[in-house]
Amino acid sequence: MVPLALALDPRSSTPLHRQLYEEIRAAVLGGRLSAGARLPSTRALAADLDISRNTVASAFDQLLAEGYIAGRPGAGTFVAKELPDDLLRVSPRAPAPTGAGAPAPELSRRGRMLAATPVAPAARDGASASAFRPGIPALDAFPRDLWARLAARLYRQSRFDLFSYGDPAGHPPLRRAIAEYLRAARGVNCHWEQVIVTSGSQQALDLAARVLLDPGDTAWVEEPGYFGARGAWMAAGIRCVPVPVDAEGLSLAQGELSAPQARMAYVSPSHQYPLGVTMSLARRMALLAWARRRSAWIAEDDYDSEFRYAGRPLAALQGLDTGGRVIYIGTFSKVLFPALRLGYMVVPAGAMDAFAAARALADRHPPGPSQALVAEFLAEGHFARHIRRMRTLYAERQAALVSAARRECAGLLEVSPADAGMHLVAWLPTGSSDGEASRRAAAAGVSAPPLSAYYHAGAARPGLLLGYSSVNRRKIHEGARRLAAAMIN
Ligand SMILES: Cc1ncc(COP(=O)(O)O)c(C=O)c1O
């Protein structure tokens, strides 16, 4: 018989039988009670602990049912020889260490590759609003009251369709609204049934790789380019070959030279990320011809096309495609807000079932209430109005950044206005290190990612990305001053 030092707290809100169960279970898992050890009888333990025998019996029943202890008729109760979660020999009281200090468990090859793949840093407290983090919309100008009213109305309705399991391709009214918007605003050629609502562009990129390519296949990615695309495709086992971007967009000639066997190309033709080049019509036609000739796919990331400040917006590449080779990808992250995690993709009608199945297997479907809210936001005209307001605001913020940077950072940085987007590239003197400049800026509280970080094989010219859309005029001026001071010291 083993002596048991069990600490029960009669004042605790946890019932005594549960406390006893947890104490004995912890003793078994922690090795204080070894396999095969005999436990006191229910009568003895009850007397020992000054609790009722029923309480002890109830704890024993639970431990018996879960396999921690075993009873032999006439012989008493013993700790089980084979423990149910034998591998979980940790004290349930001591929380496992988390973060950098946690011991690394053995990972699969894929797990190790995923761990080594760069991901975008999360926006920490307040960092989204700090100058000059790129890619964040004006969260300070989002119509939160309107959004809250629409949400309250929606949640009060008995819309059980929205609260239950939904269509893996997305809420049909939202898919209809997206198709209508894309046809009118982006010249996308689609029926609403080709639209899939995704968890941002990120999921669309992941689905495109997993449904259309096989592990080991090769794809072209823009150089410099969006690491979200390269990361998602690498995670899907795709060999990503960087293809330089020139003044007309992705260099097809270079792509054919370095990876003629490519089966898919990632492009951001409206506004190349991060350089801001708009793909020329000639390059668009040549890229489409390549895709047809090679039976390859083009993933068109149209992430911020809504924000064009001069000239007419160029229609999407997808609208020029007669061969059904373009997967069009868009997001609400820039027009509404990133945490909404809603985006969309337009896929060839014949591939719809495969995409819907892949989506359902990954995470079933997008969240119903959020989709319905966005559908109403679009249907009631708020979306178009919000884009118009943001276009004006971002043009003002961009102008404020150009003038502040020219005034504060003269001789240190070179910035020019751009026709589109949410960030500018500020060029540094040739031969300087943009990594070093970015580190100094960060130390001064300014977020300005180095252009070299977007290159796979080495940057051509040093520069910093300066996002302006989320930063108000005061912070733009303050940020430019801090940036200049960081670069002079
Ligand atoms: C090129 C590009 N595509 C897409 C996105 C948006 O990603 P998501 O829709 O997953 O938020 C971003 C965001 O920074 C981006 O820079």
Side-chain angles (χ1 to χ4, degrees):
M1 184 93 57
V2 280
L4 275 177
L6 301 172
L8 304 187
D9 178 3
R11 283 160 311 179
S12 161
S13 57
T14 309
L16 284 172
H17 68 88
R18 184 73 202 176
Q19 289 187 47
L20 183 58
Y21 155 85
E22 282 171 3
E23 284 285 317
I24 297 178
R25 181 176 176 273
V28 170
L29 289 175
R32 278 185 290 132
L33 277 175
S34 46
R38 185 168 180 188
L39 293 169
S41 68
T42 50
R43 186 194 304 273
L45 200 53
D48 216 26
L49 296 170
D50 198 18
I51 55 178
S52 87
R53 201 172 157 196
N54 275 347
T55 304
V56 180
S58 165
F60 274 28
D61 284 350
Q62 186 66 30
L63 290 160
L64 214 78
E66 292 181 11
Y68 290 98
I69 61 175
R72 287 186 225 142
T77 311
F78 297 83
V79 176
K81 288 256 164 52
E82 304 276 339
L83 284 179
D85 32 6
D86 211 10
L87 297 175
L88 284 173
R89 280 190 170 273
V90 289
S91 158
R93 293 276 158 108
T98 55
E106 199 171 309
L107 300 176
S108 64
R109 266 204 309 280
R110 193 208 320 261
R112 288 197 297 276
M113 188 264 287
L114 288 172
T117 305
V119 293
R124 308 242 179 267
D125 309 336
S128 306
S130 75
F132 292 107
R133 192 185 150 108
I136 312 285
L139 303 176
D140 56 338
F142 187 73
R144 288 194 308 277
D145 288 345
L146 167 65
W147 191 261
R149 271 202 309 280
L150 293 179
R153 191 175 76 192
L154 190 105
Y155 276 99
R156 276 198 292 264
Q157 295 162 0
S158 305
R159 297 284 306 276
F160 299 129
D161 58 323
L162 298 178
F163 290 85
S164 183
Y165 289 111
D167 186 332
H171 181 52
L174 179 59
R175 292 163 67 200
R176 283 197 185 89
I178 291 171
E180 199 176 306
Y181 165 69
L182 293 179
R183 279 194 300 264
R186 305 295 305 126
V188 170
N189 189 5
C190 67
H191 186 270
W192 73 267
E193 289 182 353
Q194 289 171 259
V195 174
I196 302 176
V197 181
T198 56
S199 175
S201 330
Q202 198 58 29
Q203 188 179 41
L205 289 161
D206 170 62
L207 289 175
R210 289 192 301 114
V211 172
L212 300 174
L213 301 190
D214 286 310
D217 281 351
T218 299
W220 295 344
V221 291
E222 293 173 330
E223 168 88 330
Y226 179 47
F227 42 71
R230 191 171 75 210
W233 289 5
M234 281 166 58
I238 309 304
R239 193 171 77 90
C240 290
V241 175
V243 175
V245 170
D246 61 26
E248 291 194 65
L250 180 108
S251 166
L252 196 61
Q254 283 293 328
E256 295 214 79
L257 213 60
S258 43
Q261 75 282 29
R263 306 234 32 246
M264 186 143 75
Y266 167 84
V267 285
S268 44
S270 301
H271 187 239
Q272 201 275 334
Y273 191 81
L275 293 179
V277 175
T278 301
M279 190 183 281
S280 69
L281 185 60
R283 191 63 61 78
R284 289 171 191 241
M285 299 313 283
L287 191 61
L288 290 168
W290 163 80
R292 270 199 309 275
R293 197 168 61 244
R294 294 272 182 185
S295 297
W297 298 100
I298 299 169
E300 174 179 21
D301 184 358
D302 208 19
Y303 65 105
D304 72 352
S305 59
E306 287 83 3
F307 305 121
R308 178 158 283 279
Y309 314 112
R312 283 191 332 119
L314 258 177
L317 177 66
Q318 195 269 6
L320 297 172
D321 176 25
T322 51
R325 310 304 308 174
V326 176
I327 306 298
Y328 178 88
I329 296 172
T331 182
F332 289 113
S333 290
K334 312 294 167 186
V335 182
L336 299 177
F337 55 97
L340 185 61
R341 301 314 306 142
L342 286 179
Y344 43 87
M345 65 197 304
V346 177
V347 307
M352 195 59 206
D353 287 351
F355 274 96
R359 168 82 211 232
L361 291 168
D363 64 342
R364 281 193 189 263
H365 63 85
S370 308
Q371 293 186 87
L373 218 164
V374 176
E376 290 184 14
F377 203 75
L378 274 131
E380 294 179 11
H382 307 302
F383 187 75
R385 212 164 17 252
H386 183 58
I387 291 178
R388 278 198 301 276
R389 283 184 52 231
M390 291 306 103
R391 214 179 270 144
T392 308
L393 182 66
Y394 295 175
E396 284 166 14
R397 289 184 171 180
Q398 190 200 100
L401 173 59
V402 171
S403 80
R406 284 184 174 163
R407 193 181 55 246
E408 302 291 339
C409 311
L412 302 168
L413 290 172
E414 197 190 307
V415 286
S416 314
D419 287 350
M422 303 162 80
H423 74 269
L424 293 173
V425 179
W427 300 104
L428 292 167
T430 321
S432 58
S433 158
D434 57 13
E436 175 58 24
S438 176
R439 275 190 293 279
R440 283 170 173 233
V446 174
S447 164
L451 187 57
S452 57
Y454 297 81
Y455 281 82
H456 198 233
R461 206 180 150 189
L464 296 175
L465 261 66
L466 303 181
Y468 51 82
S469 43
S470 66
V471 196
N472 67 28
R473 191 174 276 272
R474 187 182 57 73
K475 285 184 180 161
I476 286 175
H477 287 281
E478 170 68 17
R481 256 197 304 278
R482 285 188 190 202
L483 192 58
M487 299 211 324
I488 289 167
N489 293 327

